[in-house]
């Protein structure tokens, strides 16, 4: 069967651009209104996109004077959206650093049942010290230990999700026999960081297990993704970088004993669409022009590079000294490496860089055909499986993508016309994992 594109949608507040909330038709409180997210979900589902991904850092972000900086709990929000959607996948972000394994495993598996097998979990490790302090943690572990903890956490979560075998429920009402205790298993996990008895008090997932998604591009994040992730949301600004990332992940997956083609790699993409290239450019420029100087993207670039107090020359290339990781930097390392590599490769001025990426992700500005060209090129030559679409403003920019780019991709035979499956795992073409407790022995007999 020919390969087919896959698409996640990053759903953040009013949109990814810091001026998105200034869109005239958008209510100022959209980011806390369920109907806003229901509208976004309906648009994505109309396009038969694979899933909605909800980012999260559990801390009040700075900058609330100029833009919304609050978010709803993504597990609760996706549970609410499960009721108003039928096919699209739902992927909340939750950190292994600030959640207990049993509780989070139960919440994600509950979402999976509520949605009929459409749940995923975007696994992250928290680097933000202020978020840690909200949970009574005065100091976060170093990156190496955070990912070691995350690896044990994910393995433990898999065991908890496997607590119930698929045929554990007998459901014989006449005999009063509900379940076979021999097919419900204690976890009895005793590891370096966690100790959990189990079993989980939620039955096995309709899709075997929720889909594990990972969003990190540091060396530790890539190693973790290769060993555990089934889908990866990454930042890649160049085709060459995407090729190298894909090759590294698939090689690492094979070394870990996994199928290298069983990982879906979906880099972030910010599409800005117009009837002509000039119209699309004008549209993005108008969005940029709404920014207050205090919230200008150039300040965000300096902050994310680890130099928050530096004033960058917009019409000069990024200084070479800024392409070296600053000592003590705690932000996303993958973002830093992706942006600085692209700056070195292209020699672009800071102004040019700011028109080609937004918040660390590639911006593609053009007609539906030219955006589809970009997607097809990366899909065929970049070793990737699709993209995580990051609408600059919601819901307008997502509507443009679904109504204008998706039909073009369908005409090229690159994307489905309708959903063929009911689960997120099915949408992504991923196999159902084997239950780690499943055994060939005879189950407990009825008495």
């Amino acid at each position: 069967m020919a390969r087919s594109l896959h698409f996640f949608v990053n759903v953040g507040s009013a949109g990814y651009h810091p001026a998105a909330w200034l869109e005239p038709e958008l209510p100022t409180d959209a980011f806390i209104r369920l109907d806003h997210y229901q509208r976004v979900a309906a648009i994505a589902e109309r396009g038969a996109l694979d899933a909605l991904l909800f980012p999260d850092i559990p801390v009040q972000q700075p900058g609330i004077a100029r833009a919304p900086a609050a978010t709803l709990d993504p597990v609760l929000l996706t549970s609410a959206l499960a009721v108003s959607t039928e096919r699209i996948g739902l992927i909340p972000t939750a950190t292994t650093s600030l959640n207990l394994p049993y509780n989070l495993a139960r919440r994600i598996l509950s979402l999976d049942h509520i949605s009929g097998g459409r749940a995923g979990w975007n696994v992250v490790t928290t680097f933000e010290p202020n978020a840690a302090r909200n949970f009574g943690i005065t100091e976060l572990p170093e990156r190496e230990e955070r990912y070691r903890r995350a690896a044990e956490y994910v393995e433990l979560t898999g065991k908890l999700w496997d607590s119930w075998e698929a045929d554990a429920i007998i459901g014989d009402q006449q005999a009063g026999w509900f379940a076979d205790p021999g097919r419900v298993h204690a976890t009895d996990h005793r590891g370096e960081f966690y100790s959990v008895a189990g079993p989980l008090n939620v039955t096995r997932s309709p899709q075997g297990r929720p889909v594990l998604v990972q969003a990190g591009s540091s060396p530790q994040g890539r190693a973790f993704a290769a060993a555990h992730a089934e889908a990866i949301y990454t930042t890649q600004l160049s085709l060459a970088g995407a090729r190298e990332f894909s090759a590294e992940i698939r090689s690492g997956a094979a070394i870990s004993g996994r199928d290298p083609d069983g990982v879906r790699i979906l880099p972030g993409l910010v599409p800005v669409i117009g009837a002509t290239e000039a119209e699309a450019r004008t549209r993005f420029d108008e969005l940029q022009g709404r920014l207050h100087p205090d919230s200008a993207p150039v300040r965000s670039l300096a902050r994310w590079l680890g130099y928050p107090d530096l004033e960058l020359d917009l019409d000069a290339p990024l200084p070479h000294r800024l392409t070296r990781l600053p000592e003590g930097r705690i932000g996303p390392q993958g973002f830093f490496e992706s942006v600085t590599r692209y700056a070195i490769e292209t020699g672009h001025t800071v102004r040019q860089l700011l028109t080609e990426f937004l918040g660390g992700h590639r911006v593609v500005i053009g007609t539906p055909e030219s955006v589809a060209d970009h997607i097809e090129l990366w899909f065929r030559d970049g070793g990737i499986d699709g993209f995580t679409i990051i609408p600059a403003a919601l819901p307008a920019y997502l509507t443009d993508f679904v109504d204008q780019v998706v039909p073009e991709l369908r005409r090229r035979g690159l994307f489905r016309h309708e959903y063929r499956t009911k689960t997120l795992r099915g949408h992504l073409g991923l196999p159902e994992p084997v239950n780690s407790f499943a055994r060939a022995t005879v189950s407990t007999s009825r008495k």
Side-chain angles (χ1 to χ4, degrees), residues 269-305:
L269 180 70
V270 184
V272 181
I273 301 158
T276 64
E277 301 282 342
E279 180 182 303
R281 173 65 60 183
T282 298
R283 191 178 185 199
F284 187 69
D285 289 345
E286 288 176 353
L287 195 58
Q288 294 277 74
R290 291 177 184 159
L291 286 167
H292 189 277
D294 290 345
S295 59
V298 65
R299 299 191 183 206
S300 297
L301 174 61
R303 184 176 71 251
W304 281 107
L305 288 174

Side-chain angles (χ1 to χ4, degrees), residues 306-318:
Y307 300 92
D309 299 322
L310 187 69
E311 291 188 11
L312 298 174
D313 183 346
L314 286 173
D315 296 307
L318 194 68

Side-chain angles (χ1 to χ4, degrees), residues 153-275:
Y153 196 116
V154 166
E155 290 170 1
L156 169 56
T157 299
K159 293 178 184 177
L160 288 167
W161 286 341
D162 284 351
S163 296
W164 289 65
E165 294 185 40
D167 56 355
I169 296 180
I170 296 169
D172 188 336
Q173 292 179 316
Q174 289 186 340
W177 190 268
F178 176 70
D180 181 349
R183 296 197 180 278
V184 181
H185 307 277
T187 309
D188 289 331
H189 178 88
R190 302 291 183 273
E192 181 182 2
F193 302 108
Y194 303 105
S195 176
V196 177
L200 201 64
N201 61 344
V202 183
T203 60
R204 187 162 176 81
S205 160
Q207 57 179 335
R209 290 182 196 167
V211 174
L212 282 176
V213 181
Q214 189 266 355
S217 298
S218 67
Q220 297 86 349
R222 294 195 296 269
F224 178 85
H228 302 284
E230 297 174 287
I232 302 172
Y233 165 39
T234 176
T235 172
Q236 298 296 325
L237 297 180
S238 71
L239 185 58
R243 284 196 201 102
E244 291 179 15
F245 179 86
S246 173
E248 180 182 345
I249 291 296
R250 299 195 196 281
S251 174
I255 292 171
S256 298
R258 305 177 64 207
D259 178 3
D261 294 324
V263 182
R264 302 291 172 256
I265 299 175
L266 308 170
L269 180 70
V270 184
V272 181
I273 301 158

Side-chain angles (χ1 to χ4, degrees), residues 31 56 60 65 154 229 246 262 406:
F31 66 98
D56 187 52
Q60 176 59 65
V154 166
S246 173
V406 166

